[in-house]
Amino acid sequence: WVLDHMRYVWVAIEAEVDRWVPEMASGALLAALVQKGMPRQEAHALLAHHYRQIGGEWEKGRLLNLAMFLEGDDSCPLTPEDLEQAFNIDMLVGSAVAIAEAVAGDGLGDQLAAADPEWPGDLV
């Protein structure tokens, strides 16, 4: 019933993703820093410092600011390519897609396409 009556407002979904990508990427950033050899506590402190600098979720340009702060920080070992990978939205929402498909079944994409003519296509 829920899926049959659900509406998808892609502009709103994109706005939410843009708003929350910095937080969604925090785990990926922490893992990337530790993988580059930074002790976990130092990596956490580095990220906490820069997350405080970018402001709250209603601030504009948070993702770009976070990337610029990290790139400009000499203690941050991440390359621009590392940052791009950490901010990859497909990777960040990957498990959400799998969960939605598991709950709704294999036909979720077809259901979304039938429910909304503006559905952009495959989930994965």
Side-chain angles (χ1 to χ4, degrees):
W1 185 92
V2 171
L3 291 175
D4 287 341
H5 294 87
M6 188 178 276
R7 280 194 32 201
Y8 306 93
V9 182
W10 299 113
V11 172
I13 292 169
E14 288 172 5
E16 283 296 303
V17 168
D18 287 345
R19 177 177 298 137
W20 294 108
V21 164
E23 283 75 14
M24 292 167 60
S26 63
L29 289 169
L30 183 63
L33 288 166
V34 170
Q35 187 175 18
K36 289 281 187 168
M38 183 176 274
R40 189 181 186 289
Q41 286 183 315
E42 285 182 34
H44 185 272
L46 174 80
L47 292 174
H49 169 71
H50 290 302
Y51 273 92
R52 282 191 297 275
Q53 287 184 306
I54 65 170
E57 68 268 12
W58 299 106
E59 299 290 326
K60 298 282 186 196
R62 296 172 69 236
L63 180 61
L64 178 60
N65 288 340
L66 180 59
M68 288 175 39
F69 289 143
L70 290 170
E71 280 187 47
D73 189 326
D74 292 337
S75 67
C76 180
L78 300 179
T79 66
E81 292 79 19
D82 295 330
L83 292 173
E84 185 176 331
Q85 185 174 359
F87 296 135
N88 180 332
I89 194 63
D90 293 330
M91 295 299 291
L92 296 174
V93 299
S95 62
V97 170
I99 291 167
E101 287 177 336
V103 169
D106 291 335
L108 179 59
D110 295 335
Q111 292 177 35
L112 292 172
D116 187 344
E118 294 182 34
W119 169 245
D122 289 338
L123 287 172
V124 180

